[in-house]
Amino acid sequence: MPIIIHEIVITTNIDRNGPSATAPAQAAEPVSVEEVVKQTVERVMEILEEKKQR
């Protein structure tokens, strides 16, 4: 029986006071929402591919 996913919702909390907050101001870069989404989608696709190969 195939499993069909119509929608997936991914949420994240961006901790702006995390480890990078202790870095000097010029070294800290603002977090791009688009970049977070891109990295998240890439990771989800990697996980799905790993599960597919099992």
Side-chain angles (χ1 to χ4, degrees):
M1 174 198 275
I3 297 173
I4 300 171
I5 300 172
H6 294 284
E7 181 177 345
I8 185 168
V9 177
I10 300 169
T11 59
T12 185
N13 292 322
I14 300 172
D15 185 4
R16 294 182 189 263
N17 296 322
S20 64
T22 59
Q26 66 270 23
E29 296 181 19
V31 178
S32 164
V33 174
E34 291 82 12
E35 186 61 28
V36 171
V37 171
K38 179 182 172 186
Q39 290 177 7
T40 303
V41 169
E42 287 174 358
R43 183 64 185 129
V44 168
M45 296 305 290
E46 289 171 5
I47 291 169
L48 291 173
E49 187 61 32
E50 289 171 7
K51 298 244 180 225
K52 181 179 167 183
Q53 292 177 1
R54 291 185 192 174

